[in-house]
């Protein structure tokens, strides 16, 4: 799903740190020993909400003694809601969270240890990319749900009109295509952006940058949490972006989410979840206008991507952990009517996301109905996993500030990276 930038992590965790140790999860026993579980997520609209609601409704119909109630907030508010409710002893029994927050949530005792038998099944049945996205150190956080990789989206018609017959396969080709496809009005205002280097999301400049960094064999953070993005590979990646900004082929004020669908963006580095949105928004135009390719690297044939994930786990303070794990196990393991894939696998694939379970992924790869999904799935085999140790969120924020300073304000890229690296404090 889309990652949005409105989370106030420092405030939320500060409030959490003051929490009293009393209280428990919000699930409660009712009459006739009925248990009500709450599930907090960001699945607030569209196919994401519809898919989750369908599974919850089926469970509630088949399990009258254990009822699940969905609580939904926008992603911008998810972490704050999760932690503030925890402070007051009103935390949801089941939480759906972004893998990047894993280290912080573990330190704050928001997510419970996964039972050994459940953990063994997850580790045996899910892809390495999915597991890596929801594992902090040696600790599994819960069931992997969403798994996203970054790819290059492009408008076929805009590239063709510029004489470009195939997607770029190197940074040089990518820069050339961006400069050839950008269009401006008489006053110099961009009408069509060549290449979008932002996403409408949390630290919106970072994921595209990390994908380019990965294509140059660079790293974001070391295992000890120290900055690695300011090394030569990072300098080269940000210089590439800086040059495009100087040539006015990219502009951080343009939203690809809003303007790609109407022909206002020629290319964008974005996550696979965007497939579902574009199909809904563009309808018949999707097939004829939207193409997807690997994000090219500095040399012909090199490529890179970033993988990030979400998970569903049980609250450390839930009053009904056994029932919560029972529901989560059912939700993630029960299959569709034809028995070929799990409901969660179908839910994810239908949104352009990578099914996290190995068997589901293999089944979908047999016959991809949309060729644009192939590069998204393939990227899971080489993408840089987003680190989620304590301190990773703050490091990401520092990097975001540096990148936006370069793209929006014209700051020197090397100096910006050096300043961001100094702000990274391993925890």
């Amino acid at each position: 799903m889309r990652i949005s930038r409105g989370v106030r992590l420092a405030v939320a965790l500060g409030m959490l740190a003051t929490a009293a140790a009393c209280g428990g999860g919000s699930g409660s026993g009712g009459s006739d020993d009925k248990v009500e579980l709450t599930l907090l997520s960001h699945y607030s609209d569209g196919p994401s909400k519809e898919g989750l609601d369908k599974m919850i409704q089926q469970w509630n119909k088949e399990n009258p003694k254990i009822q699940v109630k969905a609580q939904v907030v926008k992603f911008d508010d998810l972490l704050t809601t999760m932690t503030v409710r925890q402070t007051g002893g009103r935390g949801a029994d089941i939480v759906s969270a972004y893998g990047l927050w894993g280290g912080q949530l573990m330190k704050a005792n928001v997510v419970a240890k996964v039972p050994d038998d459940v953990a063994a099944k997850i580790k045996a049945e899910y892809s390495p990319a999915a597991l890596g996205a929801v594992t902090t150190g040696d600790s599994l956080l819960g069931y992997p749900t969403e798994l996203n990789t970054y790819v290059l989206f492009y408008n076929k018609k805009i590239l063709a009109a510029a004489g470009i017959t195939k997607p770029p396969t190197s940074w040089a080709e990518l820069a050339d295509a961006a400069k050839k496809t950008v269009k401006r009005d008489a006053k110099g205002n961009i009408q069509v952006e060549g290449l979008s280097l932002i996403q409408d999301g949390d630290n919106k400049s970072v994921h595209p940058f990390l994908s380019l960094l990965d294509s140059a064999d660079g790293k974001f953070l070391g295992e000890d949490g120290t900055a690695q993005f300011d090394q030569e590979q990072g300098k080269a990646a940000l210089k590439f972006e800086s040059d495009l900004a100087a040539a006015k082929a990219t502009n951080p004020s343009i939203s690809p989410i809003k303007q790609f669908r109407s022909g206002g963006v020629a290319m964008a580095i974005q996550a696979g979840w965007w497939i579902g949105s574009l199909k809904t928004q563009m309808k018949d135009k999707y097939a004829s206008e939207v193409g997807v390719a690997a994000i090219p690297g500095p040399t012909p044939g090199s490529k890179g991507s970033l993988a990030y994930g979400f998970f569903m786990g049980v609250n450390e303070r839930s009053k009904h952990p056994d029932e919560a794990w029972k529901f989560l196990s059912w939700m993630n393991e029960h299959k569709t009517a034809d028995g070929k894939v799990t409901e969660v696998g179908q839910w994810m694939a239908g949104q352009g996301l990578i099914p996290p379970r190995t068997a589901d992924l293999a089944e979908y790869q047999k016959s991809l109905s949309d060729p644009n999904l192939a590069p998204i799935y393939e990227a899971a085999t080489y993408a840089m996993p987003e680190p989620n140790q304590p301190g990773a969120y703050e490091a990401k924020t520092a990097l975001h500030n540096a990148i936006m300073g370069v793209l929006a304000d014209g700051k020197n890229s090397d100096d910006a990276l050096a300043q961001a690296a100094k702000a990274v404090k391993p925890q």
Side-chain angles (χ1 to χ4, degrees):
M1 283 304 136
R2 173 176 9 184
I3 303 295
S4 303
R5 69 174 296 190
V7 179
R8 296 292 182 264
L9 180 68
V11 174
L13 291 180
M15 294 179 69
L16 181 60
T18 65
C22 61
S26 62
S28 59
S31 59
D32 300 323
D33 297 323
K34 184 172 76 172
V35 169
E36 181 178 280
L37 303 173
T38 51
L39 189 162
L40 177 64
S41 80
H42 64 293
Y43 299 120
S44 59
D45 54 30
S48 59
K49 182 180 188 301
E50 294 165 4
L52 180 58
D53 286 349
K54 176 185 175 184
M55 289 184 283
I56 290 176
Q57 290 166 7
Q58 181 181 345
W59 166 270
N60 286 343
K61 182 178 180 180
E62 297 175 0
N63 297 271
K65 294 290 187 179
I66 305 174
Q67 295 290 284
V68 178
K69 180 181 179 181
Q71 297 178 341
V72 181
V73 296
K74 292 183 178 180
F75 180 81
D76 291 22
D77 304 320
L78 181 58
L79 181 59
T80 302
T81 301
M82 193 183 307
T83 52
V84 170
R85 288 184 183 177
Q86 190 82 354
T87 300
R90 297 178 294 109
D93 298 281
I94 300 167
V95 293
S96 173
Y98 179 21
L100 179 69
W101 304 334
Q104 304 289 357
L105 295 177
M106 285 182 60
K107 286 183 65 176
N109 297 316
V110 175
V111 290
K113 180 181 181 296
V114 180
D116 291 342
D117 59 331
V118 176
K121 292 183 69 175
I122 294 173
K123 291 176 181 178
E125 296 174 5
Y126 284 76
S127 70
L131 291 172
V134 299
T135 300
T136 296
D138 295 328
S139 299
L140 183 66
L141 302 169
Y143 274 95
T145 49
E146 298 179 34
L147 178 63
N148 268 293
T149 58
Y150 273 75
V151 288
L152 180 69
F153 284 79
Y154 61 94
N155 186 301
K156 299 176 185 177
K157 290 186 176 180
I158 294 177
L159 263 62
I164 302 168
T165 59
K166 60 184 181 63
T169 59
S170 68
W171 284 0
E173 290 183 2
L174 183 59
D176 182 63
K179 294 171 184 176
K180 285 181 176 178
T181 53
V182 67
K183 292 182 180 179
R184 305 179 185 86
D185 62 18
K187 295 182 179 180
N189 299 313
I190 293 181
Q191 300 299 297
V192 177
E193 184 182 27
L195 173 64
S196 173
L197 294 170
I198 70 167
Q199 53 159 345
D200 273 9
D202 178 27
N203 299 331
K204 57 188 178 182
S205 60
V206 177
H207 286 186
F209 170 80
L210 291 181
S211 297
L212 292 169
L213 179 65
D214 183 50
S215 76
D217 293 326
K219 293 182 178 181
F220 176 26
L221 300 175
E223 292 184 3
D224 60 354
T226 56
Q228 302 291 306
F229 55 76
D230 59 333
Q231 297 181 4
E232 291 306 313
Q233 297 94 331
K235 292 178 181 179
L238 193 51
K239 178 65 163 53
F240 171 78
E241 295 193 356
S242 177
D243 289 346
L244 285 178
K248 302 187 183 303
T250 187
N251 188 322
S253 68
I254 295 175
S255 166
I257 303 301
K258 297 176 181 177
Q259 291 169 274
F260 181 92
R261 65 193 186 213
S262 59
V265 175
M267 299 179 291
I269 296 177
Q270 258 290 10
W273 65 262
W274 206 19
I275 288 280
S277 296
L278 291 177
K279 285 183 176 179
T280 300
Q281 295 161 352
M282 298 179 71
K283 302 187 185 330
D284 294 342
K285 290 184 177 180
Y286 169 83
S288 62
E289 295 187 12
V290 179
V292 174
I295 298 166
T299 57
S302 58
K303 55 190 177 183
S305 181
L306 177 78
Y308 72 85
F310 280 70
F311 67 92
M312 284 194 185
V314 173
N315 193 323
E316 177 76 30
R317 295 164 67 183
S318 171
K319 295 177 181 178
H320 305 286
D322 291 343
E323 290 86 348
W325 283 115
K326 183 176 180 180
F327 165 74
L328 279 181
S329 295
W330 172 87
M331 174 182 161
N332 286 276
E333 295 172 13
H334 85 282
K335 293 191 174 184
T336 55
D338 60 13
K340 292 183 177 180
V341 296
T342 64
E343 285 277 3
V344 168
Q346 185 181 70
W347 180 39
M348 294 293 112
Q351 300 173 70
L353 305 175
I354 302 171
R357 186 180 290 268
T358 304
D360 290 345
L361 177 60
E363 183 64 30
Y364 277 106
Q365 283 182 312
K366 290 179 182 177
S367 56
L368 291 175
S369 58
D370 182 353
N372 283 338
L373 289 172
I376 294 169
Y377 282 29
E378 183 188 0
T381 65
Y382 59 81
M384 172 197 298
E386 183 174 40
N388 57 11
Q389 67 259 53
Y393 189 92
E394 293 85 347
K396 185 177 176 184
T397 300
L399 181 54
H400 162 70
N401 293 335
I403 296 169
M404 293 305 288
V406 171
L407 298 183
D409 302 328
K411 292 184 178 180
N412 178 273
S413 57
D414 287 3
D415 292 344
L417 286 180
Q419 184 178 0
K422 289 180 180 179
V424 175
K425 307 296 182 185
Q427 298 181 18

